[in-house]
Amino acid sequence: MKIAWVSADITPTVASFRYRALYPSFALADQGIENGYFAVRDAKIERLKDYDIVVFVKTISHVLTAVMRELHERYGRKVFLDLCDYVTHPRYGANTGDLRKAIILSQAPYIDAIVVPTEQLRRVLSASLSGSIPVVVIPDQAETRALIERTRNFRVERPTHSFVELRRIIRPRARLMALKSSIGRTRQQARESLLSLRILATELSRAPRSVPARLHQKLRNSWTSRLKKVALPAVAGRNQLPADQVRVSRFKGGKTLIWFGNAGSDSFQSGVQTLTLIASDLIRLAQTVDFELLVMSSRSDDYKTLIEPLPFPSRFEVWSQEACFEAVKESDAFLMPQIEDEFSECKSANRALLALSCGTPVIASRLKSLEPLKDCIVTDDWEAGFRRYLFDKEATKADIAKARVVIEEQFSAEATGRKWLGLMSLEKPQHVNTPRIVVFIHLLQDVHVLLPLVKVLAAGDGKTSDRYDIEVMLLKSVYLQQPDIVREIVDTGARLRLLKEETDEGNLRTLDVNSASVLIVGAETSLRPHRLVHAAVLQANDLGIPTISMQHGLEAPGLSYFDDRHTGDVKIASSQIFTYGDPVRLPREASADLSPRCIPVGRFAPSRSQHFATFQSNLEALNSRQLPVIAIFENLHWHRYEPDGYRGHFSAHIERLTDTFKEVFFVIKPHPAGVWLQKNPRMTARGNTLLLRRDDPKFAGVTAADLLAVSRAAITTPSTIAMDAVQLGRPVLIFANTLDLPLFEPLEIGRCYEDIEAFASRALDGRANMDVVSSFKSKVLAPGRVEANIIREIDRLLKTERRSALK
């Protein structure tokens, strides 16, 4: 029997070809079956007709329909389509899923079966294609040293195309494409050389005496590699360095954690970006464990942008099959974070299998594709995984031993080969146009406004969770300030697009709002800090896409707050503005066109973060006498605090307060973008005072809600913190000095130290005026549940747009 394997690229460095064609062909060759390999451009009927079975590996094209038809109808050959991804999902790749689905359905009469690596992928493809083609599961084979050796010796004769090559030489376009390809290779080589130089410099700084010998070996290996390239013809799958010359860098004196895989696309669901899911776990691990994270992939851009800046040791190495195998083997654990969504849960467990085959334990996100390995890896508990595999050698050995049994039974060459042999004898729902809501998180402060909104939209109305297709755009700068936000977003079930490129108001290409049904943003004005999101809203407006901005604070510039700097000239472009309450309370300086666009929906009550328990524990340790806690907050807009000496008075009053109330523990939370209280060294010199520094990992993720939850009362500058305190039922005083603050009435306003001291005394004695708290809440917030109000208004907006489109 003869089998032809057709793939877009028949190079073993391409994972889909290696796992879904090359490794199965090795197993079948051991059973006496002859194999042939063809690139798509060489898949001509005159060559394929000589094979009994033709397997098209991840190749979906109308061009192949005629070939499949002739193979099936004229020559009676069996035709299989092997797919390793959920390619028919409407948003697969560049939104080409529906097109791929149409192509496969058109080829259905000529395809005997579709072959997939996981049961999850079988289910979704069967449903997507309405059962028109049988779908069979044959898992990926676990990669071993023997497979790597066999791959290194793999070579395939490529047909010559003298006429085609001559035509390419003559045609200017072909010459240009060849030149671009050459330039691309040169750039890649330059990047790899620079990376090697950086690694060498790092090694020199760590161990200068041992570098000369390693430098000599690197130069020797480099020249050996160059000589091999000259002496040997370019052969698909030929690795340049034999196994005994592959150098594995190991972190001196500590543990090594490894992640390897494809660099990924701009989609968040794959590649190096998935490491951002566990960034905060790694940051916390670095506080107690000496480790280095090794990232191996085809390119380093995402690593340099998203991982290298994080506060723990890490390095990048360019992936190659042999180098990766050796690096995994020498590492203490393989990390496999992933989003448990409809794409990822369909993917193969081949990376985990490789690690386990190397004797390296695996810590992973919980995915259905890892179900066969559930008893020999740690899933969804990174802290427990680190504790088990970095410090418990016996547990590690036990898990690896169990894994080897599973691999032998289900993922070995013998096991997968039997399934392919069984396949040889095999005889031969409509997509709903769900509204796509895009939520753009532009500033760190947006998180508290938009993350609760994303949770509500992703949950729908409580009856259905697929009411909307939610996509969150997140700027890299927000992630770097608060790495936890990545996990919090994906846990809602929304799709996340992490914007890595530098984007400004003149370059909106990366935002790509064209296909949105609605665009929702946080702070959006013509002011400098908001210009990018303002430009995005203007672009969406021009495209006829409804835009919604959420009231960002009690005093929102351009909406509810104005001064000499924030005048009525501040523009808000959003077609709808979701406000806390009735727009009749807008100040007279507000533009006349604002009120008709304002829709009162209320405000989400602030909720505790995942750091609350840790924060509470740390606070109890610092406040060893268990004194009552009073929280102190500051605001952002410094300029308003200068004319009347506000900052000086506020700082002096707080210092006096902490000296007066020795039996009270004061916790000060600076504003993330202001931090002027943090710059006062005298503020932290008192034993009953704690400053939550933004640059302290122990407190970086602590929110206002976390602090208010452990406090008796709050003292704040004019800030939305007052609203937080009211919604959490805490008495609050706003220090005004000489400022006029009508938006905060009837809450308690402090204008001198005596006002602050009297408020603190009442709060500590249980005599706080809670009537003003209740009065303020009913005055400022719209009636009803904010969740229901928002869904009602978005549905109304979508219905209006649909009616307009029909007209």
Side-chain angles (χ1 to χ4, degrees), residues 292-304:
E292 180 183 53
L293 173 65
L294 170 59
V295 177
M296 298 192 79
S297 192
S298 55
R299 62 176 194 271
S300 62
D301 48 355
D302 277 2
Y303 165 78
K304 291 178 180 178

Side-chain angles (χ1 to χ4, degrees), residues 142-310:
E143 203 164 45
T144 62
R145 164 61 63 195
L147 274 180
I148 291 177
E149 290 291 337
R150 202 162 176 177
T151 301
R152 187 148 57 94
N153 295 322
F154 169 76
R155 51 174 80 228
V156 58
E157 295 297 328
R158 296 178 183 268
T160 58
H161 300 274
S162 55
F163 175 72
V164 174
E165 298 301 330
L166 178 62
R167 193 167 56 178
R168 285 181 178 174
I169 293 172
I170 296 173
R171 291 167 113 183
R173 182 176 178 275
R175 295 177 66 185
L176 177 61
M177 295 298 290
L179 178 61
K180 287 177 66 177
S181 176
S182 175
I183 293 172
R185 286 195 300 271
T186 302
R187 286 178 175 174
Q188 178 66 19
Q189 291 169 1
R191 282 196 294 266
E192 292 177 7
S193 298
L194 284 172
L195 186 59
S196 298
L197 185 60
R198 287 180 60 194
I199 292 172
L200 189 62
T202 302
E203 291 176 348
L204 181 60
S205 66
R206 288 175 179 165
R209 292 183 180 179
S210 61
V211 165
R214 291 203 301 278
L215 177 59
H216 175 267
Q217 184 63 36
K218 283 180 69 70
L219 290 173
R220 183 171 178 270
N221 289 348
S222 176
W223 280 108
T224 301
S225 176
R226 290 174 182 272
L227 287 172
K228 284 177 178 278
K229 286 181 180 179
V230 173
L232 295 173
V235 178
R238 182 88 180 179
N239 289 287
Q240 302 302 326
L241 291 177
D244 59 358
Q245 291 185 18
V246 175
R247 182 185 64 82
V248 178
S249 300
R250 188 163 173 82
F251 186 49
K252 303 300 180 184
K255 304 289 185 180
T256 300
L257 305 176
I258 189 168
W259 179 95
F260 65 91
N262 291 329
S265 62
D266 290 336
S267 167
F268 180 78
Q269 274 67 25
S270 63
V272 178
Q273 291 191 48
T274 56
L275 278 170
T276 62
L277 286 165
I278 60 168
S280 56
D281 299 280
L282 292 169
I283 292 170
R284 284 191 288 273
L285 179 67
Q287 296 174 29
T288 56
V289 177
D290 186 17
F291 78 91
E292 180 183 53
L293 173 65
L294 170 59
V295 177
M296 298 192 79
S297 192
S298 55
R299 62 176 194 271
S300 62
D301 48 355
D302 277 2
Y303 165 78
K304 291 178 180 178
T305 303
L306 303 174
I307 306 304
E308 191 176 49
L310 297 177

Side-chain angles (χ1 to χ4, degrees), residues 3-11 16-17 20-22 25 35-45 47-49 51 53-61 64 67-68 71 78-83:
I3 300 179
W5 304 86
V6 180
S7 178
D9 197 329
I10 53 176
T11 304
S16 59
F17 174 74
R20 303 305 299 170
L22 193 58
S25 74
N35 297 275
Y37 310 91
F38 300 88
V40 171
R41 68 190 182 100
D42 301 323
K44 309 302 181 184
I45 192 66
R47 306 192 72 199
L48 297 179
K49 66 180 177 63
Y51 290 83
I53 293 172
V54 180
V55 183
F56 292 88
V57 179
K58 203 178 179 181
T59 51
I60 302 170
S61 170
L64 296 173
V67 176
M68 291 179 172
L71 284 170
K78 285 192 174 180
V79 175
F80 298 125
L81 175 62
D82 189 286
L83 298 175

Side-chain angles (χ1 to χ4, degrees), residues 551 576-584 595-603 780-786 788-790 792-793 796:
Q551 183 171 344
Q576 307 287 331
I577 305 167
F578 283 0
T579 58
Y580 294 168
D582 197 325
V584 298
S595 184
R597 290 184 279 152
C598 291
I599 301 174
V601 296
R603 180 178 187 264
V780 171
L781 296 180
R785 294 175 58 250
V786 62
N789 291 344
I790 286 177
R792 181 192 68 237
E793 294 301 328
R796 181 187 60 80

